């Protein structure tokens, strides 16, 4: 059943008419939040999983890596699958598969089967995010795209923020298995909604370009493994990382050449002629760097250096999500009234300001600055994400939307992986450097030694141990601050891109 055309001739029509767009949007967002939550909700439960599954701390990280790699490889399949199988079937099948594999993860008894289930969970979950964005773009007229992207952005950005909080609560109060069991009611509700309200669409024959997909999958998988394994094996000092790097470069080169020469390539490279789309990809890569890097840094900072318990860590980080939701509600109304580029610039400024505030963190301080900087950063990122999505897809041809939204999600995820690896490497390196510099200042004539640690002058082993601990703590705090400054610089570096974007209605590039 379709809704009648709008009576107001000044309003544009959506590309896909549905009977209950509100209910369909709610169902889509349930699936979106469910998938995005699983990128971070399991992080805090890893030590409990390792003990239960008989795995080491290094081995248990494959629970995260397997999901991320599988999801990254499968994301580009979204456009092809939606055209050939139909969006309704793909969406429903992905939700059902994700829900079932969540159940299997929750009842896993060993690490090998857990990794296998997480691989399939990543494969099913990969199509949910780009499909959700494509459907929201199609069921809303142009003048409501900003509000639709605000709803979509709320799910994308709030999910990773509340993930550690929810995961910590479920693990502490119930069991780590409930980190996966919580997906069951959410997935069933989302499946029922999509089956009820998303209409069937005609499919079309589109040959599966196995060569193109294989080359892209190899390069994406190798890239994810390179960043995930780099810190553990010493980056370019390891032959393993050189192997991954070679696969990335050769795979992308072969993929690009193949897509230029093939009659029906896996990804139509003509969509990259759209300037807004290309600039949007660059921008969302940077947002992926800053958003998820901060989320990766804060839990260990709060727990290891500041002594916050798991649940309290989640509570201190929760206001960041509140800031994001507030900005999403506000910017959804503003994006149709103001130049979206101005809103993006305001969001970038707020985000950079919050990172500047975070560079003032100290080991001995209350939670006030953590909360206020988190709210400001969440507010700023919300102002960036919604108008950026609007600008990125403002001029893209409708027939490219399936592949374009998949590429957008893929680039954001790659940016997240690069960002987490970058801040981890910087953190490890700067902790060593800072420790050496601070320890070098503890000479016999230093005031700190004479007034605070006089036992060092008598070569007391106990005082030496205490001094080393204090130096290590300060070295780590400075290393975290170095990372916050780095993310602030990256955020400020994105400002020129704002002026390369065309506002909607300004003409196509």
């Amino acid at each position: 059943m379709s809704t009648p055309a709008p009576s107001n001739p000044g309003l544009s029509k959506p590309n896909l008419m549905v009977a209950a767009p509100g209910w369909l949007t709610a169902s889509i967002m349930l699936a979106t939040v469910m998938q995005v939550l699983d990128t971070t909700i399991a992080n805090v439960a890893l030590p409990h999983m390792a003990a239960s599954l008989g795995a080491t701390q290094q081995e248990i990280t494959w629970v995260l890596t397997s999901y991320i790699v599988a999801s990254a490889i499968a994301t580009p399949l979204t456009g092809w699958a939606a055209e050939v199988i139909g969006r309704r079937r793909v969406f429903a099948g992905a939700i059902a598969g994700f829900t079932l594999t969540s159940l299997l993860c929750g009842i896993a008894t060993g690490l090998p089967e857990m990794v296998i289930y997480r691989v399939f969970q990543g494969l099913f979950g990969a199509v949910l995010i780009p499909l959700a964005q494509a459907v929201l773009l199609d069921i809303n007229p142009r003048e409501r795209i900003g509000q639709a992207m605000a709803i979509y952005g709320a799910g994308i950005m709030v999910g990773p923020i509340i993930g550690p909080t929810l995961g910590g609560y479920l693990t502490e109060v119930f069991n780590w298995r409930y980190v996966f069991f919580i997906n069951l009611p959410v997935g069933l509700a989302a499946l029922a909604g999509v089956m009820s309200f998303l209409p069937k669409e005609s499919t079309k024959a589109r040959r599966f370009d196995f060569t193109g997909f294989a080359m892209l999958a190899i390069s994406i998988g190798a890239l994810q493994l390179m960043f995930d394994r780099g810190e553990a094996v010493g980056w370019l000092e390891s032959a393993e990382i050189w192997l991954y790097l070679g696969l990335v470069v050769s795979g992308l080169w072969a993929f690009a050449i193949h897509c230029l020469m093939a009659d029906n390539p896996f990804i139509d490279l003509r969509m990259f002629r759209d300037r807004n789309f290309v600039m949007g990809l660059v921008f969302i890569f940077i947002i992926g760097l800053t958003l998820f890097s901060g989320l990766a840094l804060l839990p260990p900072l709060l727990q290891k250096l500041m002594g916050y318990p798991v649940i309290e860590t989640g509570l201190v980080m929760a206001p960041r999500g509140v800031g994001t939701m507030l900005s999403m509600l506000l910017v959804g109304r503003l994006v149709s009234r103001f130049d979206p580029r101005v809103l993006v610039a305001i969001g970038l400024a707020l985000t950079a300001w919050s990172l500047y505030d975070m560079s003032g963190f100290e080991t001995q301080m209350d939670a006030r600055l953590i909360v206020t900087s988190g709210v400001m950063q969440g507010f700023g990122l919300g102002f960036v994400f919604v108008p950026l999505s609007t600008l990125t897809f403002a001029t893209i041809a409708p027939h490219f939307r399936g592949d374009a939204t998949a590429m957008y999600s893929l680039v954001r995820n790659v940016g997240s992986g690069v960002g987490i690896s970058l801040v981890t490497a910087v953190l490890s390196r700067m902790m060593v450097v800072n420790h050496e510099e601070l320890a070098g200042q503890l000479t016999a004539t230093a005031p700190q030694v004479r007034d605070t640690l006089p036992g060092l002058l008598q070569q007391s082993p106990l005082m030496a141990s205490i001094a080393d601990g204090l130096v290590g703590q300060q070295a780590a705090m400075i290393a975290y601050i170095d990372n916050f400054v780095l993310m602030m610089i990256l955020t400020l570096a994105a400002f020129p891109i704002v002026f390369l974007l065309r506002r909607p209605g300004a003409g196509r590039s």
Side-chain angles (χ1 to χ4, degrees):
M1 178 179 177
S2 299
T3 55
S7 58
N8 189 340
L11 297 178
S12 63
K13 296 180 181 179
N15 293 321
L16 178 63
M17 305 298 288
V18 297
W23 284 107
L24 178 57
T25 299
S27 303
I28 288 172
M29 292 315 302
L30 278 177
T32 300
V33 172
M34 176 179 67
Q35 195 273 350
V36 175
L37 269 176
D38 266 52
T39 61
T40 59
I41 194 173
N43 293 23
V44 295
L46 288 183
H48 300 267
M49 289 186 199
S52 178
L53 300 176
T56 65
Q57 289 300 317
Q58 185 174 3
E59 291 172 340
I60 200 64
T61 58
W62 281 100
V63 172
L64 302 179
T65 304
S66 57
Y67 179 88
I68 293 171
V69 173
S71 180
I73 290 174
T75 297
L77 283 170
T78 306
W80 174 85
E83 288 188 11
V84 174
I85 304 173
R87 274 197 296 203
R88 184 171 182 265
R89 291 195 186 101
V90 173
F91 217 145
I95 294 173
F98 191 90
T99 306
L100 175 60
T101 50
S102 296
L103 172 63
L104 294 174
C105 288
I107 62 176
T109 58
L111 182 63
E113 59 182 294
M114 170 63 86
V115 171
I116 292 173
Y117 297 150
R118 284 286 280 178
V119 167
F120 281 98
Q121 192 183 35
L123 293 175
F124 285 118
V127 303
L128 293 178
I129 302 300
L131 270 184
Q133 188 172 26
V135 171
L136 287 175
L137 287 169
D138 281 349
I139 66 175
N140 287 280
R142 180 178 293 274
E143 60 273 6
R144 294 189 60 188
I145 289 296
Q147 296 180 25
M149 289 300 97
I151 296 172
Y152 170 78
I156 291 294
M157 299 184 70
V158 174
I161 292 172
I162 67 173
T165 306
L166 182 59
Y169 175 81
L170 292 173
T171 302
E172 290 287 330
V173 176
F174 298 101
N175 186 285
W176 67 264
R177 298 182 185 276
Y178 282 84
V179 166
F180 300 105
F181 289 154
I182 195 174
N183 289 335
L184 302 185
V186 178
L188 291 175
L191 179 61
V194 168
M195 292 295 292
S196 300
F197 304 114
L198 183 60
K200 294 181 179 179
E201 293 182 273
S202 59
T203 58
K204 65 179 183 180
R206 177 179 171 184
R207 186 180 64 85
F208 182 67
D209 180 13
F210 180 80
T211 302
F213 171 71
M215 293 300 100
L216 185 60
I218 289 172
S219 58
I220 292 172
L223 182 67
Q224 290 287 347
L225 286 171
M226 182 176 72
F227 285 117
D228 184 74
R229 294 278 297 154
E231 179 65 24
V233 299
W235 292 104
L236 295 179
E237 297 176 3
S238 168
E240 179 183 351
I241 298 303
W242 279 105
L243 173 62
Y244 293 147
L245 182 59
L247 289 174
V248 171
V249 174
S250 58
L252 286 177
W253 175 261
F255 171 76
I257 297 299
H258 174 78
C259 287
L260 288 172
M261 303 294 292
D263 294 331
N264 297 292
F266 180 68
I267 296 292
D268 193 336
L269 299 184
R270 288 178 298 176
M271 67 182 176
F272 292 102
R273 296 175 182 172
D274 189 293
R275 189 172 79 182
N276 264 30
F277 179 65
V278 174
M279 291 298 100
L281 292 182
V282 176
F283 218 120
I284 199 62
F285 178 83
I286 298 174
I287 296 303
L289 283 175
T290 56
L291 171 63
F292 289 95
S293 299
L295 293 175
L297 286 174
L298 280 176
L301 169 62
L302 295 174
Q303 293 177 39
K304 295 180 180 179
L305 288 185
M306 298 186 178
Y308 283 83
V310 173
I311 294 180
E312 193 171 344
T313 297
L315 292 176
V316 172
M317 293 179 63
R320 181 183 304 262
V322 174
T324 301
M325 294 196 69
L326 289 175
S327 66
M328 292 289 186
L329 294 174
L330 178 61
V331 78
R333 298 179 179 275
L334 296 178
V335 74
S336 59
R337 302 179 184 179
F338 298 93
D339 188 338
R341 296 171 297 182
V342 175
L343 300 179
V344 172
I346 293 173
L348 279 179
L350 290 173
T351 303
W353 187 0
S354 71
L355 290 166
Y356 174 77
D357 283 347
M358 292 170 71
S359 68
F361 281 4
E362 299 176 354
T363 53
Q364 302 297 325
M365 70 177 197
D366 58 29
R368 184 180 306 171
L369 184 58
I370 302 171
V371 172
T372 56
S373 62
V375 171
M376 186 187 302
Q377 188 173 117
F379 202 87
L381 288 169
F383 257 74
V384 170
F385 193 89
V386 176
L388 177 60
S389 298
T390 304
L391 288 165
T392 301
F393 298 101
T395 55
I396 197 78
H399 64 274
F400 284 139
R401 277 182 179 168
D403 288 334
T405 53
M407 189 61 61
Y408 191 73
S409 297
L410 175 63
V411 171
R412 186 187 67 248
N413 290 336
V414 170
S416 303
V418 172
I420 291 173
S421 299
L422 176 64
V423 298
T424 302
V426 171
L427 185 66
S428 299
R429 174 60 181 164
M430 294 312 298
M431 284 175 67
V432 175
V433 172
N434 295 335
H435 191 283
E436 292 177 353
E437 291 183 357
L438 291 175
Q441 298 175 15
L442 297 180
T443 62
T445 58
Q448 298 93 330
V449 175
R450 187 177 61 252
D451 300 334
T452 308
L453 299 169
L456 285 178
L457 299 176
Q458 283 77 42
Q459 297 184 345
S460 167
L462 176 61
M463 293 306 298
S465 177
I466 293 174
D468 185 68
L470 292 173
V471 169
Q473 186 181 49
Q474 289 301 315
M477 189 72 247
I478 296 172
Y480 279 106
I481 291 173
D482 291 337
N483 264 315
F484 296 143
V485 172
L486 174 62
M487 288 191 291
M488 180 185 70
I489 293 172
L490 290 173
T491 302
L492 292 173
F495 263 101
I497 304 176
V498 177
F499 304 102
L500 296 177
L501 293 165
R502 295 181 185 271
R503 65 179 301 179
R508 297 185 62 163
S509 54

